[in-house]
Amino acid sequence: MPSTLPQPTLPTTQRLLGRQPPSLAVGDRLELSRRNIFILPTATGLGFALLLLLLLLGAINYNNNLVFALTFLLAGVGVMAMLQTWRNLAGLRLELATAAPVQCGQPARFTLSVRADGMRTGLALDSDGGAPVWFDVPAEAPARVHLDLPTRHRGWLRPGRIRLFTRYPLGLFHCWTHVSLSARTWVWPAPADTGGTPPQAGRRPSEDGTQGRGQDDFRGFRTYHPGDSLRLVDWKAYAREQGLQVKEFGGDRSVEYWLDFSALAEPDTEARLRRLARWVLELERDQQRYGLRLPGTEVPLGRGPDQRERCLQALALFGVRD
Amino acid sequence: MATARPADWQPPRGLLLALAASLILAGLPQLLRQPAVLTLLWLVLLGWRLALAWQGRPSPSTWLRLLLTAAGVGLILVEYGAFFGREPGSALLVFLSIMKFVELRRPRDAQLLIFLGYFMLGVAFLFSQSLWLGAWLVLAVWALTSVWVTLSDPRRPLPTRRHARLAGRLLLGAVPLLLLLFLLFPRIPGPLWSLPGDAHSGVTGLSDSMEPGRISELAGSEAVAFRVQFDGPPPPPAQRYWRGPVLALTDGRRWEVRPVRAGQRLTSTAHAGRVLEPRGEPVRQTLTLEPHNQVHLLALDRPASVPDGAWLRPDLQLISEARVRLRQRYQVVSYPRVGVAASAPGRRDITRGYPADLDPRVLALARGWRAAADSPQAVIDQALRHFNQENFIYTLTPPRLGANPVGEFLFETRRGFCEHYAAAFTLLMRAAGLPARVVTGYLGGEYNAAGDYLIVRQSDAHAWAEVWLAEEGWVRVDPTTAIAPERIESRIEVGASRDSGAVRFWADGTRGWQRALQQMRQTWDAFNHRWNQWVLDYGPERQRDFLSALGLPDVSWRGLGLTLLLLLIPLLALLAWWILRPRETARDPAVRLYRTFCRRLHRHGIRPQPGETPRQLLLRIRQTRPALAPAAGRVIQRYQLLRYRRRPPRDALEALRRAVRAFR
């Protein structure tokens, strides 16, 4: 049974400190401060410490004051780099925009807007295991950082904990913060590869009398407009030198489709849902009227982007707890 | 065989160029010092790697690099004859860094190169610590750090001005920590482990023995031997004899210091009174001796006090307890004139002895003088007259002398430098029955008005004689003055005398440009002297002095660590505040300038209220502080112009800036 993504365990530092990472909801603003910024030396930093130690030993042994000076200068540079790295994250203000629903298998894009009181360089954002996104924050405007999360299941997608980190300016220190994003978006099942035809529920004349446009019933001719499909051009009429005439079809609207979960043959729930998703997308593309029946829920007949979204959401969240 | 290396990283050309340039800068002292062949080859290697990068080709294969590395290391081995020691070690470090540059196939390699560059700087200071090298340090560290910042910027792989600026800021911010650690980091005397054999090579100075030609070698060196500051005025030129090793033992050619038993050491100033009886005014001096890797210390003739860590030989030579391997400062009291104190040398004392195979002509000449003279002083005068009236020549390039140098010199070549005259004179005196010895040291010194001290250089090295006279004790006799009296007043001109061999003396600036040049040299030397005193010679003693000046006498190691920590914390807090302080967020320069103006107003006791318009503020200033009103009015009028005029004049911002600057 698919459900929400399992919440990863807390990172060690926060477990040790007994602290949850701060959470950021859509529309909220979070300012990073010393309470939630961590810093540790990197491998390069340890190598640098070794270099300093070697220089210091040389300085002591040869009693060489300029080597002392060089050592202390570099030590000072290391301290400055530590503070600068820390400052790179401190005081950043984060705002979160949620992601649009997405089909399973395609990345869901959350957008984080990052603002600072000056230019910040060499920042990166990543979530568990993902490749980091590198970005700078200009002095004047917020940086908009896109976090593309992979989707593996239908249902709710929560970005969960993300990591914001930097090693600038010298790569001696790794400074990071975890933010748990309390936003979610839903992921609809990837449509089945083969569809078959959706079951027609019945034909009835449209209530408003118009027939709309479609491909089934021939309605008559009209003059050609640039952009019309060449397949619809009446070439015989053209040969009779009557100009370019285009065949018009209509009447599709009169067909209604009820997509019923329990009417499908597949034994597997997911396979049924994927087939239903495919039909929803196809019917919507063809501008048909359709409705969806799932055990326990029903989406009444309808048409248009809202109908599509309602159906896809029902499919995405079928059997999923909040 | 070319195998694909997927992990290979092609550094951008600009980065590669910057890396090569900073590497050359860091290795510059070594590149200039080592044989030109090596430097040329290394540069070819660098250029080759750059050319490869320009053609978009990867770094050479591992086999080729191993081969080149082996060849280079072999070349260094051939040039230096060893791997261990300061010189070959430094050469190897630079070469291997260059090979790392040739390899360069991962960002980590570039990072390692930066570290190697810093290490090269440290190694360069083992050879020289001059002021120039200090300035070069700052430049090289800056260059290396800039490239380092570039390496750490994931989105800008090429060096930019921003990176250089940031590196500069990091270095500036590091200065307070540098000063604190430099002053307070516990300094321990002595090395932690034994230094390589050549650690102190290349230092010049007088040695503890003298052979014909030894001192004239020194005369070619402009290197500073020591600098002296006096409590009063410097002594006149005729008294500027700096006493070094006293040589009494001789085989006719080589002169050596006579051994002294431990019991004869004069270890305190009070002991010194046993061998001399001061007369006249004492001269108090502070010497800063350059390292010469010997035990003798120099002092104005004749030293009568014993500095810490030294002792005095009975022949009035100051000896340091350890070899002088670091620049050393000490204070000595000297008396240019002393009376007799010690008893006369015994009948079989070595100051009376001469080699059994001494040239009979020398013996005959001396005995003839002795027979004709009525006093020892007359013998001395006769000898000096002899040097003066016979055809003796004072030269830096005397002919080589054979097995019997004194005889050959006195009767055949008659060309010599001070050591020839001193040695010949001393042996003549001994042959005539007067106890005599050779004293080596320095004569003269250049007064540096810029720093109020005397510089004595290696080219001032000199040798003279001392003769025992019953009524006066050991009397200084300088036979060189009989041939070249101007030697006392003037310094030997180094460059000119090298080629011709003729000794030429410095004439004190006769022409304007000469005087200017001399003055420049002196100012530079004064800078150098301060640099030596305050930077290079800051050691355990100076640290103790500094701490007691701070009111912390006798601080232990632990106490020093604690003090350092206590001072470090507020310093780090200050730095952190500086870096982390909230920045001025206003983007509009006019608003920023107006805020500066408001801060300045605050200093005058006027606090702009929130919500108060500039016009209301000006009215309030007119009422409360009319004196400020005109200047404040100018600021406010220009600010309003910028704010509210639809198209402010182009120079309005500049005008506002000037008005704010003018408002104090």
Side-chain angles (χ1 to χ4, degrees), chain B residues 512-528:
Chain B
W513 65 266
Q514 275 177 331
R515 254 201 307 275
L517 199 72
Q518 199 170 353
Q519 207 156 18
M520 259 166 59
R521 267 167 45 113
Q522 289 194 349
T523 311
W524 173 243
D525 192 85
F527 265 123
N528 246 318

Side-chain angles (χ1 to χ4, degrees), chain A residues 61 64-65 87 121 136 170, chain B residues 125 156 162 192 535 579:
Chain A
N61 205 40
N64 189 308
N65 269 352
R87 190 195 105 82
T121 309
D136 295 343
L170 294 184
Chain B
F125 293 133
R156 284 175 210 80
R162 254 167 55 83
L192 296 174
V535 179
I579 290 179

Side-chain angles (χ1 to χ4, degrees), chain B residues 229-248:
Chain B
Q229 276 162 304
F230 297 95
D231 278 5
Q239 282 183 13
R240 291 179 195 165
Y241 279 85
W242 307 96
R243 194 179 183 90
V246 179
L247 312 173

Side-chain angles (χ1 to χ4, degrees), chain A residues 224-253:
Chain A
Y224 172 83
H225 299 295
D228 283 337
S229 167
L230 289 181
R231 283 193 297 146
L232 300 179
V233 170
D234 184 0
W235 295 108
K236 286 178 189 161
Y238 184 66
R240 289 194 295 271
E241 297 189 340
Q242 291 173 338
L244 277 174
Q245 298 287 318
V246 179
K247 289 175 249 178
E248 262 201 319
F249 297 87
D252 309 61
R253 275 198 200 165

